[in-house]
Amino acid sequence: MAPPAGSPELQAELARIAKQIVANGKGILAADESTGTIGKRLSSIGVENNEENRMTYRKILFTTPKGLEESIGGVILFHETLYQKDNEGKRLVDSLTSRGILLGIKVDKGVVPLFGSQNEGTTQGLDGLAERCKQYKADGCDFAKWRCVLRIQDNGRTPSPQGILENANVLARYASICQSEGLVPIVEPEILIDGDHTIEVCQEVTERVLAAVYKALSDHHVYLEGTLLKPNMVTPGLDCPKKATSAEIANATVTALRRTVPPAMPGVTFLSGGQTELQATENLNSMNVLPQELRPWKISFSYGRALQASVLKAWGGKTEPENVNNAQKTLMHRATSNKLAALGKYEGEEASGAASESLFVANHSY
Ligand code: 5MM
């Protein structure tokens, strides 16, 4: 087996970035909704999906005062946001970089059907990726994200060997290209929560998928110390009649990870995948109160919906300072709660308002 690729200097730089993002309970704000996806989020509060409104919303997120950098180590951006300026001509991302929050960029070009498969897909975007990564690095990014989507059907009949192999390989190829250009790749093989499968089936499928991903990363000489993993938690399918407790989810998830993810990989930054904000925080905490020897990696968050849903509601698309303040306070509260959960110190909160609402989006594969 050949050693991981990259000079000692490149490897040191990649390892430093990956560690920094998840240091001291910090996690990631996934704000990389593509234009179509952010449109759905904005329409939920009656806001038109145009460039000005996308800028206004993301400026509110990024200018959240008083210590966002204590709980958010990195923000994942969509291409437009990286270059977007506010009405005073200031780059939106300056509010992040000035506080030491690292910039990440979504580099995949979305999910497409795998012809001949059983309703499965793969993610495209490898063409020209090295050139795009080079430019993003020059423009201030330190990490990247690529999301693959797998679906459990018929009690684990899918994902099929074809679906698993294809998605593992494309993630590995993406990771290798990112590292060659100095970007830490976040490797995201999301197994959707859709379905009526049990937690046991989800665990078995998650293990098969992660085992294939780490085999492919090894085959492509990816330097694991300079990567982050963004997986789903192991849960029952949303329509499974048998629900699981947070402790059961934590045990099943950490067991699946221990069987498949090498300790050289520094940080697991979970996606929320349609869980409520409170579930996502509670489940994260339950993993981080398990004995330390079961967790060789940092266990943290890279939430999209579970960090933003109640922020959007609090803002409501209004320009009044009160709404903007409420939105920013809400983001601070969720980010701080998740930091506490990443340290195993979250003590729960009132299950009221937007934080306890379902964030499920059927077939979230776009
Ligand atoms: C924020 O949404 C990300 C981009 O989605 P699209 O490509 O569909 O527009 C998405 O990849 C997100 O980072 C992950 O799905 C995790 O988000 P959740 O909401 O599951 O935590």
Side-chain angles (χ1 to χ4, degrees):
M1 200 176 75
S7 66
E9 294 73 26
L10 175 62
Q11 292 188 353
E13 155 97 344
L14 293 168
R16 180 191 60 75
I17 295 166
K19 267 197 206 145
Q20 186 178 332
I21 294 170
V22 291
N24 309 320
K26 284 192 266 191
I28 297 172
L29 166 63
D32 58 313
E33 297 86 357
S34 49
T35 307
T37 305
I38 193 69
K40 290 178 193 153
R41 307 282 185 270
L42 293 176
S43 81
S44 74
I45 53 163
V47 172
E48 190 189 330
N49 184 16
N50 58 38
E51 208 180 321
E52 171 85 11
N53 289 340
R54 293 193 292 273
M55 183 279 288
T56 303
Y57 172 58
R58 283 164 169 155
K59 183 175 174 180
I60 291 172
L61 296 178
F62 300 170
T63 56
T64 295
K66 297 202 196 90
L68 190 67
E69 66 279 9
E70 300 297 323
S71 41
I72 299 294
V75 173
I76 317 175
L77 307 159
F78 186 60
H79 179 91
E80 173 185 81
T81 319
L82 177 62
Y83 299 101
Q84 211 163 21
K85 294 185 172 155
D86 66 14
N87 292 333
E88 286 74 52
K90 188 180 166 202
R91 269 181 84 177
L92 290 195
V93 293
D94 290 352
S95 306
L96 301 172
T97 50
S98 62
R99 309 194 257 179
I101 297 177
L102 299 184
L103 305 183
I105 183 84
K106 168 191 168 77
V107 295
D108 70 67
K109 299 231 171 200
V111 176
V112 289
L114 256 188
F115 185 57
S117 74
Q118 306 168 54
N119 185 28
E120 297 176 271
T122 185
T123 302
Q124 59 187 2
L126 290 178
D127 286 358
L129 181 58
E131 291 73 24
R132 287 193 286 132
C133 287
K134 192 187 287 299
Q135 191 63 53
Y136 288 139
K137 182 82 183 179
D139 294 335
C141 293
D142 277 311
F143 66 105
K145 191 204 84 170
W146 176 294
R147 173 171 174 258
C148 281
V149 178
L150 299 112
R151 187 178 286 116
I152 301 178
Q153 301 168 109
D154 294 347
N155 244 350
R157 188 175 57 91
T158 76
S160 66
Q162 177 196 3
I164 291 176
L165 195 65
E166 159 58 22
N167 282 286
N169 200 62
V170 80
L171 279 169
R173 180 82 185 105
Y174 138 80
S176 146
I177 293 170
C178 285
Q179 289 196 331
S180 75
E181 300 301 333
L183 295 180
V184 164
I186 296 186
V187 175
E188 181 178 3
E190 173 172 4
I191 301 165
L192 296 177
I193 200 171
D194 305 51
D196 59 3
H197 51 271
T198 62
I199 190 170
E200 288 80 12
V201 169
C202 182
Q203 181 179 332
E204 187 268 321
V205 170
T206 302
E207 288 177 13
R208 265 195 287 137
V209 167
L210 291 178
V213 167
Y214 281 93
K215 167 74 166 72
L217 291 173
S218 168
D219 289 344
H220 283 261
H221 315 294
V222 171
Y223 175 61
L224 293 184
E225 291 84 342
T227 64
L228 294 169
L229 173 67
K230 177 164 173 168
N232 52 285
M233 294 184 198
V234 173
T235 67
L238 203 73
D239 299 324
C240 177
K242 193 162 171 239
K243 304 299 171 204
T245 65
S246 185
E248 286 165 346
I249 289 169
N251 272 316
T253 306
V254 169
T255 301
L257 294 175
R258 284 173 54 75
R259 290 177 177 169
T260 53
V261 182
M265 201 288 303
V268 182
T269 57
F270 283 100
L271 57 93
S272 59
Q275 301 180 46
T276 67
E277 292 179 341
L278 295 186
Q279 285 167 341
T281 309
E282 196 184 337
N283 292 339
L284 182 60
N285 190 68
S286 296
M287 285 185 257
N288 282 302
V289 295
L290 291 172
Q292 181 65 63
E293 65 266 25
L294 297 181
R295 308 178 268 118
W297 346 261
K298 291 269 198 285
I299 298 186
S300 189
F301 59 93
S302 174
Y303 295 158
R305 283 164 286 175
L307 274 173
Q308 295 185 57
S310 50
V311 178
L312 275 163
K313 288 231 164 86
W315 173 46
K318 313 235 170 58
T319 46
E320 284 78 3
E322 196 192 331
N323 291 78
V324 172
N325 287 344
N326 282 341
Q328 294 184 328
K329 271 193 200 149
T330 306
L331 178 60
M332 260 313 284
H333 177 68
R334 290 261 52 87
T336 309
S337 298
N338 284 305
K339 177 198 171 110
L340 288 171
L343 296 171
K345 293 180 177 162
Y346 171 70
E347 290 181 344
E349 59 201 282
E350 273 301 288
S352 64
S356 58
E357 281 174 19
S358 168
L359 305 175
F360 175 65
V361 178
N363 192 21
H364 188 232
S365 59
Y366 39 80

